[in-house]
Amino acid sequence: MKKYLFFLFMTVSVTVLAQPPVERNSAVTNSAEPSVLKETEEVTVPQTATIQTGNEFYKLYQQANSSPEQKNPTVQQQRRMNDFVELNRQEDANGFDYNLSVFMAGNYDLSKKDFLEKAKVLQPKNQYVLLQSVGVSYILNDQTTLITDLKELAKQNVWNTDDFSYAKDVLASIPSNGILITHGIHDSYPIIHLQRIEKYRNDVRVIPMHLLQSSEFRKQLSNEDLSIPETNQVNTQYLKEFCTSNQEAPIYLSLTIPSAYFTDMEQRLYPVGLTFRYSPAVFQNSELNTRLWTGMNKGVIVKYKSQTGKQLSANYLPVLLNLYMYYKAENNGRLANEIKNSIRQIGENIGNTNLMKELGVNE
């Protein structure tokens, strides 16, 4: 039944799984929804350094961090970012764009932290600076800077109530002292905000995949008795190897991780709340999901405040499918109908009128 459930979910996940926009808020324009370049789009490097150099660099950085299959820039993307760093240096080696681009092109190389700190002095409330600073302070366990920067980002409304509502249900899905792997900035930092500022579920170890680019972060995890893949390429194979090497640990994968990461592990993934539990042995999840579902706030399904909330509601589908099949097997028509109502609502949220049929749920 688990394999069938996973197959059903994966067949619709391409259109309904809410993937996190890596940089949903533009630090340059400060707009709510910036233009993020697709993987196939080209960024033309100016022949001479201009005031637009910094803006183009941030677009290129977004492109390099938006791949659904890896967190590291490709060789070509890295080369182009390095070219922009040089152009920024020519424009103003002491300026904001140069210092920030040096650090960002380093992919969380903490030996370049001084450049980030210089950029922060020049523009202490810039969103790109704050987002990079949160990553650094999280790696270094610098609680003072981490909390200060998270509060400033919240003040700038980088995340909304739907983001925090969803993040709380994610944390509620993890058992005591569990390990949660998230994908990038947008799905990781609301969770860390809840942990460090609201003191909710600090027992959960959160591992943001984008921070695994940092050798310092990988070393830190290794010191926590986790087996870390030797490669520096944080991609689908990396995640599979991480899970396989630490299969005795309570590892949970956030559903905001792109579906490409799951395809080679489907036999070992079990829906648990808003996560997939990685387990080489059969994992009994239905009764656990019954308890989790009762305790979740589920705000983004029926009380969403934004388009983001509507899309995030699709990530409740794995647990709902698991519960629907469980209640049907138990001949519990009342609870099965309640689950169907939630699935129907999600279909309306994401504009998929055929969702019930695609998931094999009787109308």
Side-chain angles (χ1 to χ4, degrees):
M1 184 176 75
K2 195 271 297 188
K3 181 179 179 181
Y4 175 65
L5 183 154
F6 191 91
F7 173 77
L8 283 174
F9 173 66
M10 294 302 290
T11 60
V12 298
S13 65
V14 173
T15 57
V16 304
L17 183 62
Q19 308 296 353
V22 178
E23 302 288 358
R24 192 177 63 175
N25 288 72
S26 170
V28 180
T29 63
N30 214 29
S31 64
E33 298 288 344
S35 174
V36 180
L37 294 181
K38 297 179 181 179
E39 192 68 21
T40 57
E41 290 185 278
E42 293 293 325
V43 177
T44 303
V45 179
Q47 296 302 309
T48 58
T50 71
I51 195 66
Q52 295 299 316
T53 302
N55 295 344
E56 294 300 320
F57 174 83
Y58 303 134
K59 291 179 182 179
L60 180 57
Y61 180 84
Q62 288 175 335
Q63 178 186 358
N65 281 269
S66 297
S67 169
E69 297 181 351
Q70 69 178 50
K71 294 307 297 179
N72 302 83
T74 64
V75 172
Q76 181 186 28
Q77 289 168 339
Q78 187 64 59
R79 185 182 302 116
R80 289 158 73 192
M81 283 197 293
N82 292 342
D83 288 343
F84 272 111
V85 168
E86 177 59 22
L87 286 173
N88 284 326
R89 186 191 67 79
Q90 294 174 15
E91 178 72 20
D92 183 1
N94 295 314
F96 172 80
D97 283 332
Y98 172 68
N99 282 284
L100 182 56
S101 64
V102 169
F103 180 78
M104 291 176 70
N107 308 306
Y108 295 95
D109 178 355
L110 298 195
S111 69
K112 299 180 179 180
K113 184 167 68 75
D114 287 349
F115 290 97
L116 177 62
E117 292 176 351
K118 290 177 183 177
K120 196 172 186 180
V121 169
L122 294 170
Q123 293 191 30
K125 294 187 178 182
N126 179 278
Q127 284 183 19
Y128 273 110
V129 168
L130 292 168
L131 291 169
Q132 297 292 312
S133 180
V134 166
V136 171
S137 55
Y138 186 75
I139 293 171
L140 297 176
N141 200 26
D142 177 357
Q143 296 299 310
T144 300
T145 303
L146 179 62
I147 290 173
T148 300
D149 291 344
L150 285 171
K151 285 183 176 179
E152 178 58 35
L153 287 168
K155 188 184 300 183
Q156 294 184 25
N157 297 316
V158 175
W159 298 289
N160 57 41
T161 56
D162 288 337
D163 294 314
F164 289 117
S165 174
Y166 179 84
K168 196 162 190 176
D169 277 353
V170 173
L171 283 171
S173 304
I174 313 298
S176 298
N177 302 310
I179 297 171
L180 171 65
I181 300 179
T182 54
H183 185 238
I185 284 173
H186 190 69
D187 63 334
S188 304
Y189 294 173
I191 289 173
I192 294 171
H193 177 107
L194 290 174
Q195 289 184 311
R196 302 306 168 87
I197 295 179
E198 299 187 20
K199 309 300 181 183
Y200 180 72
R201 296 303 309 272
N202 274 316
D203 60 293
V204 176
R205 182 51 159 125
V206 178
I207 301 178
M209 287 177 60
H210 69 289
L211 297 185
L212 287 170
Q213 297 176 91
S214 165
S215 60
E216 179 66 28
F217 190 49
R218 297 195 300 270
K219 178 181 178 182
Q220 183 185 121
L221 294 174
S222 180
N223 292 338
E224 296 175 10
D225 295 326
L226 289 172
S227 178
I228 306 301
E230 294 183 4
T231 176
N232 293 330
Q233 293 298 310
V234 184
N235 52 23
T236 55
Q237 183 60 35
Y238 186 101
L239 181 61
K240 181 181 180 181
E241 184 178 342
F242 180 93
C243 292
T244 302
S245 301
N246 297 286
Q247 59 186 12
E248 300 302 320
I251 296 176
Y252 294 77
L253 308 179
S254 170
L255 297 187
T256 46
I257 296 173
S259 58
Y261 286 88
F262 300 142
T263 51
D264 288 338
M265 298 189 291
E266 61 184 72
Q267 297 298 325
R268 296 186 173 191
L269 298 179
Y270 295 81
V272 174
L274 287 175
T275 71
F276 281 133
R277 166 65 191 264
Y278 180 88
S279 176
V282 175
F283 187 80
Q284 302 298 335
N285 57 348
S286 296
E287 292 186 5
L288 172 58
N289 279 329
T290 297
R291 296 193 297 273
L292 290 173
W293 180 250
T294 301
M296 287 180 175
N297 62 67
K298 303 179 279 285
V300 298
I301 297 180
V302 295
K303 298 179 181 179
Y304 52 81
K305 305 293 185 183
S306 65
Q307 185 64 31
T308 300
K310 288 184 179 182
Q311 294 301 313
L312 285 172
S313 71
N315 286 352
Y316 288 79
L317 288 174
V319 65
L320 287 170
L321 283 168
N322 175 258
L323 290 175
Y324 175 71
M325 292 183 177
Y326 175 63
Y327 293 145
K328 280 189 66 178
E330 295 290 314
N331 294 316
N332 192 329
R334 180 182 64 83
L335 291 180
N337 283 331
E338 289 182 6
I339 296 300
K340 285 166 60 175
N341 289 335
S342 293
I343 295 175
R344 186 178 295 109
Q345 178 63 56
I346 291 172
E348 294 177 5
N349 290 352
I350 63 176
N352 187 345
T353 57
N354 294 319
L355 181 60
M356 301 277 283
K357 181 178 179 181
E358 290 173 2
L359 296 178
V361 176
N362 296 325
E363 289 285 355

